[in-house]
């Protein structure tokens, strides 16, 4: 009887060990099942997507701050051309349609012009071929009537040669004034009437501000009751 009881005890221990091992193996199998792996993969993808979206938002903020600016009138820079010649390509150093500039824009592509055949021929003759497309630089090539952000010094060069093209003041970046006086630019402005309206409005606001400041200064001389 003692031997039988001993054998039964050993069998029970063995069964217990087998059941415990089976339970552990089942748990491991569930941990590595396709469904679990898919869920973990989904979590990683979602995390990656969120990270990409955050990076994109940060990049958008950087681009927006880099491309924002003022025109030669002192107001917000307007778009020059976002679809040059129907090519789908925007003008400007950043190819976003604005004549914005930054530290990397050594040429200062800040003057929003309307190209003419005369100007394009002249530009080519002085080593700046703007007529031939260069896809590697997202440059579609210009034709008569196309709108483009020209380098300020190139416009000044054309002006001195009597070949300067017309331009849009409200889309010409304020950095242009480092190279060309405003009075000269205004003489070539396609949007001269609109620009004059903007200037008149600014002058009215300036005069109103001067009046307010004068009243404030006069009020300082009187004792407050």
């Amino acid at each position: 009887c003692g031997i039988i009881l001993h054998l039964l005890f050993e069998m029970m221990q063995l069964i217990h060990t087998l059941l415990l091992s089976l339970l552990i193996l089942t748990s491991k199998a569930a941990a590595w099942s396709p469904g679990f792996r898919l869920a973990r993969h989904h979590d990683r993808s979602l995390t990656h997507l969120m990270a990409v979206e955050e990076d994109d938002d940060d990049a958008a903020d950087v681009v927006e701050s880099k491309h924002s600016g003022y025109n030669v009138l002192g107001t917000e820079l307007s778009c020059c051309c976002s679809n040059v010649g129907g090519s789908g390509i925007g003008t400007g150093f950043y190819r976003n349609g604005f004549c914005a500039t930054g530290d990397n824009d050594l040429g200062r592509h800040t003057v929003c012009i309307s190209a003419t055949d005369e100007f394009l021929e002249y530009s080519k003759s002085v080593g700046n071929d703007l007529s031939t497309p260069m896809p590697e630089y997202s440059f579609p090539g210009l034709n008569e009537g196309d709108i483009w952000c020209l380098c300020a010094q190139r416009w000044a060069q054309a002006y001195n040669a009597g070949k300067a093209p017309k331009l849009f003041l409200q889309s010409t970046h304020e950095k242009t004034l480092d190279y060309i006086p405003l009075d000269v630019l205004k003489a070539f402005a396609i949007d001269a009437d609109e620009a004059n309206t903007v200037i008149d409005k600014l002058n009215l606001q300036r005069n109103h501000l001067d009046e307010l400041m004068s009243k404030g200064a006069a009020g300082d001389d009187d004792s407050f009751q």
Side-chain angles (χ1 to χ4, degrees):
C1 289
I3 295 175
I4 293 174
L5 290 174
H6 180 71
L7 290 174
L8 289 173
F9 180 77
E10 286 185 349
M11 288 179 63
M12 290 178 64
Q13 284 186 323
L14 180 59
I15 292 172
H16 176 74
T17 302
L18 290 173
L19 289 173
L20 183 61
S21 299
L22 182 60
L23 180 62
I24 293 173
L25 289 173
T26 302
S27 299
K28 288 184 176 181
W32 290 100
S33 66
F36 182 80
R37 293 181 65 184
L38 180 61
R40 292 186 63 185
H41 176 71
H42 174 71
D43 289 343
R44 287 198 300 270
S45 298
L46 180 60
T47 302
H48 174 69
L49 179 61
M50 292 173 64
V52 169
E53 288 177 346
E54 289 174 358
D55 290 343
D56 288 346
D57 290 341
D58 293 341
D61 290 341
V62 172
V63 170
E64 184 176 358
S65 62
K66 184 182 289 185
H67 294 174
S68 63
Y70 296 95
N71 57 39
V72 292
L73 304 177
T75 57
E76 185 177 352
L77 187 67
S78 298
C79 180
C80 181
C81 184
S82 59
N83 185 18
V84 180
S87 64
I89 298 174
T91 186
F93 179 76
Y94 301 104
R95 297 296 189 264
N96 67 342
F98 290 79
C99 296
T101 188
D103 294 338
N104 294 326
D105 181 18
L106 301 180
R108 289 286 186 248
H109 297 73
T110 57
V111 186
C112 182
I113 69 158
S114 177
T116 63
D117 287 336
E118 181 184 29
F119 164 71
L120 293 173
E121 290 174 6
Y122 165 75
S123 187
K124 188 174 183 178
S125 72
V126 293
N128 187 31
D129 184 3
L130 298 176
S131 304
T132 304
M134 290 185 285
E136 64 272 23
Y137 296 109
S138 296
F139 179 66
L142 303 182
N143 296 295
E144 170 115 17
D146 285 342
I147 311 299
W148 188 254
C149 293
L150 183 67
C151 294
Q153 289 178 306
R154 287 294 189 179
W155 192 93
Q157 180 186 35
Y159 170 79
N160 290 328
K163 305 293 183 180
K166 298 286 187 178
L167 54 87
F168 296 90
L169 290 173
Q170 296 180 89
S171 301
T172 295
H173 195 277
E174 63 178 344
K175 283 291 184 180
T176 304
L177 299 177
D178 292 343
Y179 307 90
I180 308 159
L182 179 58
D183 288 341
V184 173
L185 295 172
K186 288 170 67 176
F188 288 81
I190 297 172
D191 58 344
D193 291 340
E194 294 179 20
N196 287 331
T197 299
V198 171
I199 292 173
D200 291 342
K201 184 177 180 180
L202 290 173
N203 287 333
L204 287 174
Q205 292 175 341
R206 186 180 298 110
N207 293 335
H208 182 58
L209 180 60
D210 289 341
E211 291 176 2
L212 292 176
M213 293 182 67
S214 297
K215 290 180 180 179
D220 291 341
D221 296 335
D222 300 330
S223 60
F224 180 74
Q225 300 296 329

